[in-house]
Amino acid sequence: YCGFIAIVGRPNVGKSTLLNKILGQKISITSRKAQTTRHRIVGIHTEGPYQAVYVDTPGLHIEEKRAINRLMNRAASSAIGDVDLIIFVVDGTHWNEDDEMVLNKLRQAKAPVVLAINKIDNVKNKDELLPFITELSGKFNFTDIVPISAQRGNNVHKLQEIVRRSL
Ligand code: GDP
Ligand code: MG
């Protein structure tokens, strides 16, 4: 089982932290130079017969400077149409217009989009999480919604189960 997975989201939501957590000690390869035709491979996680290839999607280079501008200017048929699963990472304590723009970009994706609500360790009042989830699920048809703490590792295994299922 093998598939390509994109972790997307505006800067500072915890994408790199999540990727590092997933790759952990089981990292097979991380290379800035490894290329596929349409993606830059940032990590491969192999577990038994499962191989998840994490990629940067050229259509979602949201960590570049002035990234949002670039994002908006990109052709509609970007590489997000070319992965098997998209993990959309948001900060459970801050939603802003950059999140909104990334989400709108995802409307062009063909792959299932999983919502990972990160930094739940920072959400002091857990009652606030439900309205947040309700609001976001009204904006987009996510296949799964998983509250996580990438930093502490909470629920990251649930996300990995979803990844395995998609391979
Ligand atoms: P990226 O820009 O999306 O790749 O975000 P980073 O992974 O660089 O994380 C941005 C900041 O958020 C860093 O200071 C992380 O330590 C912090 N961060 C990431 N995940 C969590 C989390 O689950 N909880 C908390 N409290 N902080 C986090
Ligand atoms: Mg990062």
Side-chain angles (χ1 to χ4, degrees):
Y1 308 91
C2 180
F4 285 70
I5 294 112
I7 298 178
V8 305
R10 69 164 164 85
N12 218 39
V13 290
K15 298 181 298 299
S16 300
T17 307
L18 174 62
L19 184 64
N20 288 338
K21 201 63 162 188
I22 289 172
L23 296 177
Q25 304 295 334
K26 292 180 183 168
I27 191 163
S28 304
I29 175 180
T30 49
S31 169
R32 291 178 175 278
K33 286 172 188 155
Q35 298 282 340
T36 63
T37 3
R38 307 188 69 189
H39 301 296
R40 187 173 69 109
I41 297 171
V42 290
I44 301 177
H45 184 226
T46 306
E47 204 173 355
Y50 300 99
Q51 188 163 54
V53 181
Y54 290 88
V55 297
D56 247 2
T57 58
L60 278 166
H61 266 192
I62 47 168
E63 298 204 299
E64 296 171 25
K65 274 193 181 166
R66 325 244 356 171
I68 293 302
N69 296 340
R70 256 169 247 187
L71 185 70
M72 290 174 75
N73 292 337
R74 270 203 182 125
S77 58
S78 72
I80 51 168
D82 212 30
V83 292
D84 300 296
L85 184 74
I86 294 168
I87 300 174
F88 177 44
V89 183
V90 303
D91 181 330
T93 64
H94 298 99
W95 174 269
N96 67 28
E97 58 186 15
D98 291 348
D99 296 295
E100 198 80 46
M101 276 190 250
V102 176
L103 185 62
N104 283 330
K105 186 78 181 169
L106 291 180
R107 299 190 191 285
Q108 298 154 12
K110 294 188 206 87
V113 179
V114 175
L115 175 65
I117 302 175
N118 192 28
K119 308 195 187 184
I120 49 160
D121 55 291
N122 268 352
V123 180
K124 296 287 166 260
N125 182 4
K126 301 294 182 216
D127 291 344
E128 287 168 11
L129 216 47
L130 192 59
F132 189 68
I133 289 172
T134 307
E135 198 195 328
L136 290 197
S137 47
K139 288 178 193 282
F140 195 94
N141 195 13
F142 299 106
T143 54
D144 295 272
I145 298 177
V146 191
I148 64 166
S149 171
Q151 200 167 64
R152 298 188 183 180
N154 302 356
N155 264 356
V156 171
H157 69 283
K158 274 197 187 171
L159 212 48
Q160 289 182 262
E161 258 171 53
I162 292 165
V163 168
R164 266 197 299 275
R165 232 166 55 205
S166 78
L167 298 176

